[in-house]
Amino acid sequence: MSTGEIVQPAPRRRRSDGERSRKSILEAAAALATIDGLEGLSIGRLAERTGMSKSGLYAHFGSKQELQLATVETANEIFQAEVVEPALAAPAGRERLIALCDHYFSHLEREVFPGGCFFASAAADFDTRAGPVRDAIAAAYTDLDELLQELGADARDRGELAADTDLAQLSFELGGFLLAANSAYVLFRDTGALDQGRRAVRARLAV
Amino acid sequence: MSTGEIVQPAPRRRRSDGERSRKSILEAAAALATIDGLEGLSIGRLAERTGMSKSGLYAHFGSKQELQLATVETANEIFQAEVVEPALAAPAGRERLIALCDHYFSHLEREVFPGGCFFASAAADFDTRAGPVRDAIAAAYTDLDELLQELGADARDRGELAADTDLAQLSFELGGFLLAANSAYVLFRDTGALDQGRRAVRARLAV
DNA sequence: CCTACCGATCGGTAGG
DNA sequence: CCTACCGATCGGTAGG
């Protein structure tokens, strides 16, 4: 250690860190939003959490609404990667439908988001509002509903479910089991709710 | 109209209005909480809504947390009066269990709270917090779970449900249908979700 | 990306 | 119950 050496200042970010920075901000935002709510998420607290100044965040996102929209998009990507894509690895049909629900329960258990299901939390926050953020959340809800119905149709076409299965009704009921498990798990942190969810899904899909 | 008549000022509240005032404040608070969230509910906005000054509200409740606790209590009374008590008028057993769920769907449709189920909304807001408000909301959740299980036990004992019915599991699944109907209805204001809820309950309770 | 600032609103209090 | 006020924090902007 020569006397010429001085204490290094905080490492200067390279330009190429811009996108990585944006991504890590949005992941922190998605996590925080499940605790404070997507509306309760404040730019000041997010700045603190990410070690950035408030105006630094505004340089990235322009407004709170833009930040919220980007956060919903990021949460969607996380949900796809943690729940949907792993489920698509299961054999098509009834097995894949069960896998989707199981990966949903698993993502709760693994605390992918600290406050449970991002979309259940965000929907509760924005359900009575109007505007692009509500619309993005509603679209995610519809997407999951459609996915459940598609997987249900595959199972039905394979003869694994009754030929007269009402797919919208099936999706509604499975969605209810996901919501019930999320609510109970986040409120009580009791994995028993996840087991009840798994049992409910299997009973509903029994031949 | 004699010239002696003057425009009346806002009617002076009589002392006995105190309790009525408190009740109407709390009813407004419970309604507002399903829109802005129980935490997002601000004392300033509630003061505006009730035509009272902020410090007037503090004279009633002392702190925001006390207001939140009193609001949860009031929401509970409304839920009892609008959902639970009407259901208890139905014949004991399976019919009463269905009536409870139906009155839940009905209270959504009648917009008893403008933002849907108070407890679903409040739970989403407080599920990751700690303290007496979270505890009061969690207790309401447990109460409903126990009620569903009791009514399920009656139905089972009457032979209207299988003798080996898992009551906790039944309550979980019915609760899921209530939550699913609430989420979809509040997000999309589509009564189809309420019909799906009614069908789901009946299918689950079919002999 | 930063510092420094803006008006508005938050929960809450003093004093009546 | 009121007016008048407190410090803290909100979303957002100016200027660099």
Side-chain angles (χ1 to χ4, degrees), chain B residues 111-127:
Chain B
E111 318 252 337
V112 168
F113 298 100
C117 176
F118 177 90
F119 292 99
S121 169
D125 216 7
F126 273 86
D127 51 14

mmCIF file of all heavy atoms in Angstrom, chain B residues 111-127:
data_model
loop_
_atom_site.group_PDB
_atom_site.id
_atom_site.type_symbol
_atom_site.label_atom_id
_atom_site.label_comp_id
_atom_site.label_asym_id
_atom_site.label_seq_id
_atom_site.Cartn_x
_atom_site.Cartn_y
_atom_site.Cartn_z
ATOM 1 N N GLU B 111 -73.571 -2.864 -3.928
ATOM 2 C CA GLU B 111 -72.542 -1.857 -3.645
ATOM 3 C C GLU B 111 -72.667 -1.321 -2.224
ATOM 4 O O GLU B 111 -72.640 -0.103 -1.995
ATOM 5 C CB GLU B 111 -72.616 -0.713 -4.660
ATOM 6 C CG GLU B 111 -72.834 -1.191 -6.094
ATOM 7 C CD GLU B 111 -71.606 -1.057 -6.988
ATOM 8 O OE1 GLU B 111 -70.726 -0.236 -6.691
ATOM 9 O OE2 GLU B 111 -71.537 -1.815 -7.981
ATOM 10 N N VAL B 112 -72.823 -2.231 -1.290
ATOM 11 C CA VAL B 112 -72.867 -1.850 0.119
ATOM 12 C C VAL B 112 -71.615 -1.040 0.462
ATOM 13 O O VAL B 112 -71.679 -0.030 1.164
ATOM 14 C CB VAL B 112 -72.967 -3.109 1.012
ATOM 15 C CG1 VAL B 112 -72.717 -2.757 2.470
ATOM 16 C CG2 VAL B 112 -74.345 -3.756 0.837
ATOM 17 N N PHE B 113 -70.468 -1.463 -0.044
ATOM 18 C CA PHE B 113 -69.249 -0.651 -0.037
ATOM 19 C C PHE B 113 -68.919 -0.320 -1.496
ATOM 20 O O PHE B 113 -68.969 -1.214 -2.350
ATOM 21 C CB PHE B 113 -68.078 -1.419 0.601
ATOM 22 C CG PHE B 113 -68.302 -1.788 2.031
ATOM 23 C CD1 PHE B 113 -68.703 -3.077 2.379
ATOM 24 C CD2 PHE B 113 -68.116 -0.864 3.052
ATOM 25 C CE1 PHE B 113 -68.911 -3.429 3.709
ATOM 26 C CE2 PHE B 113 -68.323 -1.215 4.378
ATOM 27 C CZ PHE B 113 -68.725 -2.493 4.709
ATOM 28 N N PRO B 114 -68.547 0.924 -1.772
ATOM 29 C CA PRO B 114 -68.348 1.296 -3.181
ATOM 30 C C PRO B 114 -67.167 0.576 -3.829
ATOM 31 O O PRO B 114 -67.145 0.436 -5.050
ATOM 32 C CB PRO B 114 -68.101 2.815 -3.114
ATOM 33 C CG PRO B 114 -67.672 3.086 -1.716
ATOM 34 C CD PRO B 114 -68.355 2.057 -0.864
ATOM 35 N N GLY B 115 -66.214 0.121 -3.025
ATOM 36 C CA GLY B 115 -65.047 -0.556 -3.589
ATOM 37 C C GLY B 115 -65.057 -2.051 -3.317
ATOM 38 O O GLY B 115 -64.010 -2.673 -3.209
ATOM 39 N N GLY B 116 -66.240 -2.638 -3.204
ATOM 40 C CA GLY B 116 -66.336 -4.082 -3.001
ATOM 41 C C GLY B 116 -66.157 -4.480 -1.556
ATOM 42 O O GLY B 116 -66.394 -3.678 -0.642
ATOM 43 N N CYS B 117 -65.761 -5.719 -1.339
ATOM 44 C CA CYS B 117 -65.640 -6.271 0.005
ATOM 45 C C CYS B 117 -64.641 -5.477 0.846
ATOM 46 O O CYS B 117 -63.461 -5.376 0.495
ATOM 47 C CB CYS B 117 -65.196 -7.732 -0.079
ATOM 48 S SG CYS B 117 -64.918 -8.474 1.540
ATOM 49 N N PHE B 118 -65.120 -4.919 1.956
ATOM 50 C CA PHE B 118 -64.246 -4.120 2.819
ATOM 51 C C PHE B 118 -63.048 -4.921 3.290
ATOM 52 O O PHE B 118 -61.914 -4.440 3.298
ATOM 53 C CB PHE B 118 -65.027 -3.615 4.038
ATOM 54 C CG PHE B 118 -64.184 -2.834 5.016
ATOM 55 C CD1 PHE B 118 -64.045 -1.466 4.898
ATOM 56 C CD2 PHE B 118 -63.512 -3.496 6.044
ATOM 57 C CE1 PHE B 118 -63.251 -0.752 5.791
ATOM 58 C CE2 PHE B 118 -62.713 -2.789 6.937
ATOM 59 C CZ PHE B 118 -62.581 -1.415 6.814
ATOM 60 N N PHE B 119 -63.284 -6.173 3.690
ATOM 61 C CA PHE B 119 -62.195 -6.933 4.316
ATOM 62 C C PHE B 119 -61.167 -7.423 3.318
ATOM 63 O O PHE B 119 -59.979 -7.510 3.631
ATOM 64 C CB PHE B 119 -62.772 -8.061 5.167
ATOM 65 C CG PHE B 119 -63.503 -7.521 6.355
ATOM 66 C CD1 PHE B 119 -64.881 -7.412 6.355
ATOM 67 C CD2 PHE B 119 -62.797 -7.055 7.448
ATOM 68 C CE1 PHE B 119 -65.548 -6.858 7.435
ATOM 69 C CE2 PHE B 119 -63.447 -6.501 8.532
ATOM 70 C CZ PHE B 119 -64.835 -6.406 8.527
ATOM 71 N N ALA B 120 -61.609 -7.727 2.105
ATOM 72 C CA ALA B 120 -60.643 -8.076 1.064
ATOM 73 C C ALA B 120 -59.752 -6.876 0.773
ATOM 74 O O ALA B 120 -58.525 -7.001 0.639
ATOM 75 C CB ALA B 120 -61.362 -8.534 -0.201
ATOM 76 N N SER B 121 -60.375 -5.699 0.687
ATOM 77 C CA SER B 121 -59.619 -4.477 0.429
ATOM 78 C C SER B 121 -58.674 -4.154 1.587
ATOM 79 O O SER B 121 -57.484 -3.871 1.386
ATOM 80 C CB SER B 121 -60.602 -3.326 0.205
ATOM 81 O OG SER B 121 -59.954 -2.083 0.196
ATOM 82 N N ALA B 122 -59.195 -4.219 2.797
ATOM 83 C CA ALA B 122 -58.382 -3.880 3.971
ATOM 84 C C ALA B 122 -57.267 -4.893 4.184
ATOM 85 O O ALA B 122 -56.151 -4.531 4.579
ATOM 86 C CB ALA B 122 -59.282 -3.806 5.212
ATOM 87 N N ALA B 123 -57.559 -6.168 3.907
ATOM 88 C CA ALA B 123 -56.533 -7.199 4.086
ATOM 89 C C ALA B 123 -55.386 -6.977 3.108
ATOM 90 O O ALA B 123 -54.209 -7.085 3.475
ATOM 91 C CB ALA B 123 -57.145 -8.584 3.889
ATOM 92 N N ALA B 124 -55.721 -6.647 1.863
ATOM 93 C CA ALA B 124 -54.666 -6.398 0.877
ATOM 94 C C ALA B 124 -53.804 -5.223 1.302
ATOM 95 O O ALA B 124 -52.604 -5.191 1.040
ATOM 96 C CB ALA B 124 -55.290 -6.138 -0.495
ATOM 97 N N ASP B 125 -54.414 -4.272 1.989
ATOM 98 C CA ASP B 125 -53.689 -3.082 2.405
ATOM 99 C C ASP B 125 -52.803 -3.347 3.615
ATOM 100 O O ASP B 125 -51.718 -2.775 3.746
ATOM 101 C CB ASP B 125 -54.706 -1.989 2.757
ATOM 102 C CG ASP B 125 -54.227 -0.605 2.372
ATOM 103 O OD1 ASP B 125 -53.176 -0.489 1.728
ATOM 104 O OD2 ASP B 125 -54.913 0.372 2.729
ATOM 105 N N PHE B 126 -53.254 -4.207 4.517
ATOM 106 C CA PHE B 126 -52.553 -4.382 5.788
ATOM 107 C C PHE B 126 -51.868 -5.725 5.950
ATOM 108 O O PHE B 126 -51.292 -6.002 7.006
ATOM 109 C CB PHE B 126 -53.525 -4.160 6.962
ATOM 110 C CG PHE B 126 -53.638 -2.724 7.372
ATOM 111 C CD1 PHE B 126 -54.515 -1.877 6.752
ATOM 112 C CD2 PHE B 126 -52.817 -2.219 8.374
ATOM 113 C CE1 PHE B 126 -54.614 -0.540 7.118
ATOM 114 C CE2 PHE B 126 -52.900 -0.895 8.757
ATOM 115 C CZ PHE B 126 -53.800 -0.045 8.123
ATOM 116 N N ASP B 127 -51.926 -6.570 4.933
ATOM 117 C CA ASP B 127 -51.459 -7.945 5.131
ATOM 118 C C ASP B 127 -49.980 -8.044 5.470
ATOM 119 O O ASP B 127 -49.560 -9.007 6.099
ATOM 120 C CB ASP B 127 -51.820 -8.834 3.925
ATOM 121 C CG ASP B 127 -51.403 -8.228 2.607
ATOM 122 O OD1 ASP B 127 -50.604 -7.271 2.611
ATOM 123 O OD2 ASP B 127 -51.870 -8.708 1.562
#
